Amino acid sequence: MIKTKLECLLAQIRQAEIAYERIPGSVLLLAVSKTKTAMEIAQAYSAGQRHFGENYCQEALKKQYELGAYDITWHFIGPIQSNKTKLIAKHFSWVHSVDSLKIARRLSEQRPDSLPPLNVCIQVNISGEHSKSGVNLHELSQLCEDVTALPNIKLRGVMGVPMPEDDFECQRKPFRTLFQAVIKLSNYDLDTFSFGMSGDLNAAIAEGSTMVRIGTALFGNRG
Ligand SMILES: *Cc1c(COP(=O)(O)O)cnc(C)c1O
């Protein structure tokens, strides 16, 4: 049952905050609802969940429409095609997966004036050759500078999606590297580390995550 899973997850997050000496309540749960139905989202909502993450634009818009009466904060976390930036800029509050200035510019230009600036995280490739998405670490500082200059975007932080690892210490390492790099960028007022999924949330919290993106552990396996 989604309510029970949500309660377990929140308890696990609170425990990890204590275990790794994080400020209680400093890690937000983002429920990743890709492939899940509006009904399942509604169940999590009734249990108190407000932040939901989606990877595919059309799929998300359909659910947003069905859930129009709900006070949900929508996050876009999937790969961004240029021809989708307009819809993303219009229908989401957050985008975690910005990995080029071109995409950031389009999102800023296409963000409706009636809405507050779009919250953006830059996706950083922390698994080397294995990943095609995300900027390399040495490109991060320049992209932060360029994105900060865009009027309708608020740069909030970074998203890291490392290769899946079973070993806890191996899970921690890429998060630690990215965290260390980001705290050096002290002139950008970054407050968001979008780190951690179902399989590595404790490691992510140990290394400074402020937002864990959880699908499977909340909604079960995706078909
Ligand atoms: C699907 C997805 C998640 C959730 O993954 P789970 O392992 O199901 O928790 C988190 N982040 C991104 C970017 C995803 O695509």
Side-chain angles (χ1 to χ4, degrees), residues 14 25 31 43 45 55 65 73 95 122 136 138 144 161 166 193-194 205 214:
R14 297 294 93 96
Q43 282 170 23
Y45 184 96
N55 289 53
Y65 181 75
T73 302
V95 179
I122 294 174
N136 293 320
H138 69 266
C144 283
V161 190
D166 291 329
F193 294 89
S194 172
I205 292 170
I214 308 294

Side-chain angles (χ1 to χ4, degrees), residues 2-217:
I2 288 173
K3 183 174 191 286
T4 316
K5 288 207 172 128
L6 180 64
E7 284 163 3
C8 284
L9 257 175
L10 291 172
Q12 187 186 345
I13 292 169
R14 297 294 93 96
Q15 267 171 20
E17 285 171 347
I18 293 166
Y20 299 106
E21 298 177 334
R22 301 287 313 281
I23 296 169
S26 59
V27 181
L28 183 84
L29 171 61
L30 175 61
V32 176
S33 44
K34 64 180 175 214
T35 78
K36 301 298 166 180
T37 61
M39 178 76 89
E40 288 166 296
I41 295 174
Q43 282 170 23
Y45 184 96
S46 333
Q49 181 64 27
R50 291 295 178 269
H51 290 261
F52 291 86
E54 290 279 344
N55 289 53
Y56 311 103
C57 196
Q58 301 305 337
E59 180 195 329
L61 293 189
K62 192 166 163 282
K63 289 183 250 182
Q64 288 180 355
Y65 181 75
E66 291 174 68
L67 296 164
Y70 292 64
D71 175 28
I72 290 176
T73 302
W74 293 99
H75 298 238
F76 191 84
I77 64 171
I80 306 171
Q81 295 163 292
S82 296
N83 63 357
K84 295 287 164 22
T85 51
K86 192 168 184 179
L87 287 171
I88 293 171
K90 193 170 171 197
H91 294 282
F92 289 83
S93 301
W94 283 75
V95 179
H96 294 226
S97 42
V98 169
D99 66 356
S100 75
L101 181 57
K102 179 184 162 214
I103 291 292
R105 275 207 190 107
R106 290 177 67 95
L107 289 170
S108 178
E109 279 163 14
Q110 296 170 334
R111 180 72 170 169
D113 289 332
S114 56
L115 296 176
L118 185 63
N119 295 293
V120 158
C121 291
I122 294 174
Q123 183 174 354
V124 183
N125 174 6
I126 46 177
S127 287
E129 317 253 298
H130 302 293
S131 169
K132 285 178 264 74
S133 333
V135 295
N136 293 320
L137 207 46
H138 69 266
E139 301 167 301
L140 178 61
S141 164
Q142 184 65 52
L143 189 54
C144 283
E145 186 176 327
D146 296 338
V147 170
T148 303
L150 299 172
N152 297 323
I153 278 183
K154 175 140 183 49
L155 181 63
R156 298 295 299 266
V158 291
M159 174 166 82
V161 190
M163 283 289 290
E165 293 275 1
D166 291 329
D167 179 74
F168 187 64
E169 289 307 319
C170 294
Q171 290 180 346
R172 288 180 69 157
K173 223 173 139 201
F175 292 132
R176 187 180 314 148
T177 306
L178 180 51
F179 185 88
Q180 296 296 343
V182 170
I183 53 173
K184 285 191 199 124
L185 303 173
S186 52
N187 37 343
Y188 298 114
D189 194 22
L190 305 179
D191 62 5
T192 303
F193 294 89
S194 172
F195 288 179
M197 311 187 359
S198 297
D200 59 9
L201 80 156
N202 283 353
I205 292 170
E207 297 299 340
S209 173
T210 62
M211 224 186 267
V212 288
R213 308 177 313 274
I214 308 294
T216 311

